[in-house]
Amino acid sequence: MTQQDIARMTGVSQATVSLVLNGRADSDVRIAPETRDRVLEAIRSTGYVADPIARRLAARRNRILGVFTYEPVFPAGTGDFFHPFLVGIEEGAESLGCDLLLFTSASVVDGRRRIFHEDNRLRLADGCVLLGRSLDRDDLARLVAEEQPFVSVGRRDDAGGPVPYVGADYPVATVAIVERAVAVGHRTLAYVGQGDHPVGPAPQTGLDGQDRPAAPESHADRERGFRAAVAAVGATGIREPVEDRSPADLLDSLLARGVTVAFMEEYADGSAIASVARERGLDIPRDLSIVALGDPTRPAPSDVDFTMFRIPRRQMGWQAVEVLTRLIEGTPGPTQILLDCEQVEGTTLAPPR
């Protein structure tokens, strides 16, 4: 079935069928309501579907949004973390009547996926949502320079220009949870993780023995909030790196330094320390309170009811699609958005002994 067939069935020109299909009205052509209804009824009754390539050539858009991931999002190890982002992206695209295209042919350079390679297909889509804990700076700089429509899920530093993003407001969420700890009597607090201290291009080993990339903006934002809150209340703030250290060594260091509450950048690291503490007969939270600064990004036991905040992952995915659509269509609106995190009471924060 073609537009010519629809035109013959309804007794109109192919140009009229095209105008009806695309929801446009030419300034010199007025389509009578009964004619439009007749064409639409013929389209419905025949099951006609417009050729997407032809429509793309005519409208310069094909209503396909790309999704590029810098790390695997479907394996069981990371699926639980990335799944809400993908659900939000899918729901946002569906609400706008767009299809999604997952880019899987990306080349791997130095162990990381890269957008640009000799056979990249980025322009098959009208624009692209970027997903991953760490994004490649060179890729971002080229996307900005070439003015390709894209949005990052997660805040990103400028890369030769502002990077469009929808992220979580980690500094505000971290400040709020530090203030809760201080309010119940904690005065020596530790930030446990990479924070804003990049550890080089090579992945580092965490407490669970799994590799992790150099520190992304989300880690730096958490530590920034931690330091601001500690300074505001006059408490003692300590940073404890986790790279290449065992949970037992880290627990020993925290206790030796008089820390009464540990703010864990990674949920899985908090689980590892809590497990060692329980094996030693320590009381969590009386001997050491443990706070998780976000949802698990790696597999971790779920038997601990952590005091924590939750990342608005589904909303981030949805709003990333909305921002991308505005960029594609050239409509005004914010292109850098931070969403509030949800505070979770939990049972791992209590007054120190």
Side-chain angles (χ1 to χ4, degrees):
M1 184 64 62
T2 66
Q3 287 189 24
Q4 288 182 339
D5 296 326
I6 299 293
R8 282 193 293 269
M9 290 174 59
T10 55
V12 301
S13 68
Q14 183 179 342
T16 299
V17 174
S18 177
L19 289 172
V20 172
L21 275 170
N22 290 284
R24 301 200 310 266
D26 195 292
S27 59
D28 297 326
V29 178
R30 181 181 179 276
I31 302 174
E34 59 270 21
T35 300
R36 183 182 300 276
D37 292 343
R38 191 165 69 251
V39 171
L40 290 173
E41 176 57 32
I43 291 170
R44 282 191 293 268
S45 64
T46 60
Y48 171 80
V49 178
D51 179 356
I53 296 179
R55 294 190 71 173
R56 180 185 183 189
L57 291 173
R60 295 187 179 180
R61 288 188 57 198
N62 59 13
R63 303 194 68 78
I64 294 177
L65 305 180
V67 179
F68 183 89
T69 67
Y70 276 88
E71 51 204 281
V73 296
F74 294 113
T78 57
D80 288 344
F81 179 70
F82 284 108
H83 180 256
F85 292 117
L86 296 170
V87 170
I89 292 170
E90 180 184 33
E91 290 175 342
E94 182 180 12
S95 71
L96 296 169
C98 295
D99 293 308
L100 291 176
L101 174 62
L102 181 64
F103 292 105
T104 58
S105 64
S107 60
V108 177
V109 179
D110 295 329
R112 296 280 292 163
R113 293 179 177 176
R114 296 291 299 273
I115 292 178
F116 295 102
H117 53 95
E118 61 182 14
D119 193 30
N120 94 80
R121 302 178 177 90
L122 200 62
R123 293 192 182 275
L124 288 175
D126 297 324
C128 191
V129 176
L130 307 183
L131 186 61
R133 280 178 288 179
S134 296
L135 307 190
D136 185 86
R137 298 282 300 168
D138 292 338
D139 282 351
L140 291 177
R142 182 168 173 181
L143 288 167
V144 170
E146 296 182 0
E147 299 183 345
Q148 298 196 44
F150 77 98
V151 175
S152 164
V153 176
R155 188 193 73 78
R156 308 297 168 185
D157 294 330
D158 286 359
V163 173
Y165 62 75
V166 176
D169 200 338
Y170 294 119
V172 168
T174 304
V175 166
I177 210 164
V178 168
E179 290 175 345
R180 287 171 57 189
V182 172
V184 298
H186 292 279
R187 303 300 298 172
T188 304
L189 306 83
Y191 182 93
V192 184
Q194 290 175 280
D196 59 359
H197 300 268
V199 290
Q204 302 295 305
T205 302
L207 297 182
D208 54 6
Q210 296 194 28
D211 285 346
R212 65 186 62 196
E217 288 87 346
S218 59
H219 290 178
D221 288 348
R222 287 173 169 92
E223 187 179 12
R224 181 157 49 89
F226 173 81
R227 293 196 176 282
V230 167
V233 299
T236 300
I238 294 170
R239 176 179 175 266
E240 282 281 1
V242 300
E243 292 79 35
D244 303 317
R245 299 176 70 183
S246 71
D249 289 342
L250 185 52
L251 178 60
D252 289 339
S253 179
L254 290 170
L255 297 176
R257 301 177 76 176
V259 171
T260 59
V261 56
F263 292 82
M264 308 302 302
E265 187 177 80
E266 289 282 355
Y267 184 106
D269 292 342
S271 293
I273 290 178
S275 177
V276 173
R278 287 197 301 264
E279 291 173 0
R280 295 183 180 181
L282 297 177
D283 184 297
I284 302 294
R286 292 299 180 181
D287 292 317
L288 178 67
S289 289
I290 300 177
V291 174
L293 301 179
D295 302 278
T297 62
R298 311 190 305 275
S302 58
D303 59 335
V304 180
D305 182 19
F306 277 116
T307 299
M308 60 180 293
F309 59 74
R310 295 197 182 281
I311 304 166
R313 293 173 288 176
R314 188 168 177 173
Q315 296 91 328
M316 288 166 66
W318 179 294
Q319 291 204 27
V321 171
E322 291 185 341
V323 171
L324 179 60
T325 302
R326 286 201 298 269
L327 291 171
I328 293 169
E329 296 178 348
T331 55
T335 59
Q336 294 184 332
I337 298 173
L338 292 177
L339 303 179
D340 292 335
C341 297
E342 175 192 357
Q343 297 287 329
V344 177
E345 187 69 26
T347 61
T348 57
L349 175 63
R353 290 190 188 278

